[in-house]
Structure formats: C-alpha cells, structure tokens
Amino acid sequence: IKPLSWQISEWKNQAYLPSQAAASAEDSQQQFAAALYEQYQRYIKVCNAVDFDDLILAPLQLFQQHPEIREKWRNSIRYMLLDEYQDTNTTQYELFKLLVGPLGQFTVVGDDDQSIYAWRGANPENLFQIKKDFPRLDIIKLEQNYRSNQHILKAANQLISNNPHLFEKKLWSNI
C-alpha cells in the first residue's frame, strides 16, 4: 500500500486531475486517496500555494486551457534543450510537447539505461514516444566513452545487455 501522498504525487506526475483520479480508482484505498486529493487541491488553492508536482502540472494546465498564453511562450522559445530526458514523467513530457509545438526545434539527451527516477514517476519510454510524436527526429547515439577503457566498457556492455532496451547500443572507447 502506497502512502497517500505518493499516490497523489503519482497522479499529478501522470497529469491526472482529482476527477480523473476518482474515475480511475480501482479500490477503496484509491477512492479514499482520490477524495483526499480533491480536498488537498482545494486546500492548497485557498492557501494560494502549490506543491512540488504542481510546478509542472500548473503550467501544463495553463497552456492547455489558454492557447494564447501557450503561443506567447512557444514563440519566445526558439530552440529547447532537455537533458536527462530518460527521467521525464508524463506531465513533464506533455508540457515539453506544448512548449516546442509542431515545429519541434529541440534537442533531447537521454539514455534508457540510466533512468534512475522511476520512484518519482520517470518514464524512460518517453524516449520511444518522442520518436512517434516527432517522426522527423534524428536519433544520434553517443556510444563512444572518453572516461573508461575498453575492458570496463566490455563489462558494462555485458551488464546492460540484460536490460530491456528501447534503443540498442554498444559502448566503446579508444582508451
């Protein structure tokens, strides 16, 4: 059983509003959490506050509900760089898509084998999803390693070969 605060955070990281959380609740524990989520949102609104997850969810909602504001921000960003992309969650990815728009002038850097924030809602599958959403995207694999020798990379390749991969890779070095 997850603590209630983790369940609410997970919903926010999936861009679920309290009504969506209530509709998707599968048992009495989740129904209770969804009701608490709704009360919590009302309370922080009265306090004119946001929590950590709202720092992404609130702009996403703003851009979804107000296209003119979204366009103003989109037009102020010519190019975007998003590092550690494998650690984005659903809400972050949706916000990113709204900001870059259909032109998609951006660079993302990520490695599905280096995702470490699943406990915070990170979704390494976003690496695969971005290729679907932006089919003109070029994928450039950075497989050369400048820090480790080939013996270390051989061991690393052996270990990561056991991981489920979105993109196959073979690390190598001239050292």
Side-chain angles (χ1 to χ4, degrees), residues 29-42:
Q29 173 82 12
Q30 286 190 346
Q31 290 170 349
F32 179 77
L36 184 65
Y37 179 20
E38 185 174 1
Q39 290 176 350
Y40 173 66
Q41 286 304 109
R42 277 190 291 216

Side-chain angles (χ1 to χ4, degrees), residues 97-136:
K97 284 193 317 185
L98 287 177
L99 282 171
V100 299
L103 291 179
Q105 295 180 304
F106 62 86
T107 299
V108 298
V109 179
D111 182 350
D112 53 329
D113 286 315
Q114 294 187 36
S115 182
I116 60 171
Y117 289 104
W119 61 274
R120 271 291 297 143
N123 186 5
E125 289 78 17
N126 286 344
L127 284 163
F128 186 70
Q129 186 62 41
I130 199 169
K131 182 66 176 161
K132 285 180 169 179
D133 292 340
F134 298 93
R136 294 185 356 227

Side-chain angles (χ1 to χ4, degrees), residues 1-11 29 32-33 36:
I1 298 174
K2 293 180 183 177
L4 295 172
S5 60
W6 281 85
Q7 179 62 69
I8 292 169
S9 181
E10 185 176 298
W11 280 325
Q29 173 82 12
F32 179 77
L36 184 65

